[in-house]
Amino acid sequence: MNNEEKIEHAKGLLREWKATHHEEYCNFTDWMHDREGPGFIAIFNHAKAFMPQFETAVLLHLKDDSSNDVGHLEKMLVEGGMENHLLTGLNTPHIPGNIFLPMLAWMFYGRSFECMVEYGEDLIRNSKTNFLIRLGAKHHIKWIIKSSIALKGRTEEDWANCI
């Protein structure tokens, strides 16, 4: 099975899971769409627990006003084995509190990219958000849109219709 076939197989498993766990999926999406950001914070905390140096790298990235590319953060997670960690979570759905299946289903089939952009826009508009976070949010919105197109999760036309 090549990589493309593995991805399609995983997507099929996620579609099946989503169809049979509708309430759990809906609860997760509510959690992710909460404007206070508890879902994003929980996922970030999970990434920090998996890879403690990730938090420092993210904070340094946010403080670097000349950086608008998060490729180095992605590379850190890939090289650290995050893909295998996610696959382990995908293969162990019976563990209580396992967020991998709803998270991956939301990312493939939900309004994940739109939600991330909306959350970033809220951060930018919030007068209590400091300048560095606003600047980081602006760059991340651009990155999210570019990534969604590169991953074929959305098209340029999809984003044009959102504006």
Side-chain angles (χ1 to χ4, degrees):
M1 190 180 287
N2 66 32
N3 200 33
E4 189 70 30
E5 291 170 334
K6 287 179 185 176
I7 291 170
E8 288 306 312
H9 178 70
K11 286 170 72 175
L13 292 174
L14 288 170
R15 261 192 309 273
E16 184 180 310
W17 178 87
K18 185 179 176 240
T20 58
H21 294 80
H22 187 70
E23 185 175 348
E24 186 178 348
Y25 175 78
C26 289
N27 289 340
F28 182 83
T29 62
D30 285 348
W31 192 48
M32 293 305 292
H33 291 266
D34 182 324
R35 289 296 189 231
E36 297 298 315
F40 290 105
I41 292 166
I43 290 171
F44 180 70
N45 286 338
H46 188 81
K48 286 187 333 188
F50 172 73
M51 183 179 290
Q53 65 272 32
F54 186 66
E55 178 179 23
T56 302
V58 169
L59 292 174
L60 287 174
H61 174 77
L62 290 173
K63 291 177 184 179
D64 182 359
D65 65 353
S66 66
S67 177
N68 63 0
D69 180 25
V70 294
H72 65 288
L73 297 173
E74 288 178 344
K75 185 178 177 184
M76 174 186 270
L77 292 172
V78 169
E79 289 176 354
M82 182 58 89
E83 181 180 309
N84 290 332
H85 184 63
L86 287 171
L87 288 174
T88 300
L90 186 61
N91 292 322
T92 54
H94 58 280
I95 297 174
N98 181 345
I99 64 169
F100 295 112
L101 291 170
M103 178 185 69
L104 292 171
W106 178 69
M107 292 187 77
F108 277 105
Y109 301 110
R111 291 189 67 252
S112 57
F113 295 112
E114 295 83 356
C115 179
M116 289 184 269
V117 167
E118 290 163 2
Y119 184 66
E121 290 170 340
D122 285 351
L123 286 173
I124 291 169
R125 283 192 292 267
N126 186 339
S127 63
K128 295 178 184 176
T129 304
N130 74 43
F131 174 75
L132 290 175
I133 300 295
R134 286 181 188 181
L135 185 62
K138 177 183 170 189
H139 291 296
H140 284 92
I141 288 170
K142 290 178 185 176
W143 172 80
I144 289 164
I145 292 170
K146 277 177 55 177
S147 295
S148 71
I149 294 167
L151 294 168
K152 299 179 183 169
R154 304 292 180 275
T155 64
E156 288 184 32
E157 185 178 288
D158 293 335
W159 287 110
N161 291 334
C162 284
I163 297 173

